[in-house]
């Protein structure tokens, strides 16, 4: 797995195809047909809390770019897997404790999390709706591709679903998927997408897969090495 760095952070920001471009591996293949998300999950409006509904549906119905991705199967206890999605800051810390380069995520309290970088990007996101085996994240903020680049205001929606294939004694095999939508009224965002060209959907899809792996790899690892759970997932010292 590639280092968990700017690809994931850009995805969490909702800046798919903009800030993620700088993290794309050299020689990325052209985007495959059907890379864009096929549409919002059914009854999404009923899942999202009323105070976020208009903002979320604006992103979903009028995205600057959208994508979907399928992750590798995850085997983990149901309780731990759900806990990881509620504590992305601890997941990032676990990667760092495993000596893998990773972003730093800050817990702001009240279910809100933040990420920033050395360029001046600032993004805050939170869970705004849940459904069986899944949740909806809504992110707002600004993203900068470099110190000299103008800030790009973004709104992002990420729908993560992890239905269980099988389950026994509290341990399940999950099949995670993600649908993501980024909206920006910024002219710079649209110019960046045009500059990236046909690789933009592929870059976005790769970022979505990285997001799923961000949680899934740690879940699989802790399931195989339960004695390291407290060491990896404990609070900062």
């Amino acid at each position: 797995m590639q280092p968990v760095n700017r690809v994931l952070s850009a995805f969490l920001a909702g800046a798919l195809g903009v800030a993620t471009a700088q993290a794309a591996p050299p020689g990325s293949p052209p985007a495959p047909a059907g890379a864009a998300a096929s549409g919002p999950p059914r009854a999404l409006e009923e899942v999202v809390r009323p105070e976020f509904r208009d903002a979320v549906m604006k992103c979903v119905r009028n995205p600057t770019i959208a994508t979907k991705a399928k992750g590798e199967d995850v085997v983990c206890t149901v309780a731990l897997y759900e806990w990881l999605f509620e504590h992305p800051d601890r997941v990032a810390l676990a990667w760092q404790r495993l000596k893998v380069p990773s972003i730093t995520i800050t817990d702001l309290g009240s279910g809100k999390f933040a990420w920033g970088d050395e360029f001046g990007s600032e993004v805050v996101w939170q869970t705004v709706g849940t459904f069986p085996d899944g949740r909806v994240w809504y992110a707002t903020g600004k993203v900068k591709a470099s110190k000299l680049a103008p800030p790009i205001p973004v709104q992002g929606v990420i729908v993560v679903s992890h239905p269980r294939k099988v389950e026994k004694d509290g341990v399940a095999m999950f099949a995670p998927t993600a649908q993501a939508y980024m909206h920006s009224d910024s002219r710079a965002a649209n110019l960046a997408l045009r500059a990236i060209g046909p690789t933009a959907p592929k870059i976005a899809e790769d970022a979505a897969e990285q997001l799923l792996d961000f949680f899934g790899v740690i879940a699989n690892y802790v399931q195989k090495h339960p004695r390291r759970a407290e060491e990896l997932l404990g609070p900062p010292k």
Side-chain angles (χ1 to χ4, degrees), residues 105-172:
I105 297 174
T106 303
D107 184 351
L108 301 179
S110 302
K112 294 182 179 180
F113 298 90
W115 159 81
D117 67 9
E118 69 276 18
F119 301 142
S121 301
E122 297 176 350
V123 177
V124 175
W125 73 95
Q126 61 187 303
T127 297
V128 297
T130 59
F131 52 94
D133 292 326
R135 66 185 57 238
V136 182
W137 279 319
Y138 175 62
T140 60
K142 62 180 182 180
V143 174
K144 297 187 64 176
S146 69
K147 289 184 178 180
L148 299 178
I152 297 176
V154 294
Q155 296 172 288
V157 174
I158 306 171
V159 183
V160 179
S161 179
H162 41 81
R164 308 169 199 179
K165 289 184 175 181
V166 293
E167 180 179 355
K168 182 178 181 181
D169 299 329
V171 177

Side-chain angles (χ1 to χ4, degrees), residues 24-109:
S28 295
S38 58
R42 294 182 61 183
L44 181 60
E45 288 180 276
E46 298 177 9
V47 169
V48 176
R49 300 206 305 266
E51 63 268 33
F52 292 99
R53 195 168 294 153
D54 288 346
V56 166
M57 297 313 297
K58 176 182 178 181
C59 289
V60 171
R61 291 171 175 159
N62 187 32
T64 303
I65 191 168
T67 193
K68 60 181 178 180
K70 179 180 179 181
E72 298 291 333
D73 287 347
V74 175
V75 177
C76 182
T77 65
V78 175
L80 176 60
Y81 199 45
E82 293 178 348
W83 184 90
L84 294 178
F85 282 100
E86 294 171 358
H87 298 84
D89 57 317
R90 300 289 188 87
V91 181
L93 189 58
W95 279 106
Q96 294 169 6
R97 287 168 170 169
L98 287 171
K99 309 301 182 184
V100 178
S102 175
I103 61 172
T104 295
I105 297 174
T106 303
D107 184 351
L108 301 179

Side-chain angles (χ1 to χ4, degrees), residues 11-34:
F11 185 87
L12 288 172
L16 297 174
V18 181
T20 50
Q22 59 191 303
S28 295

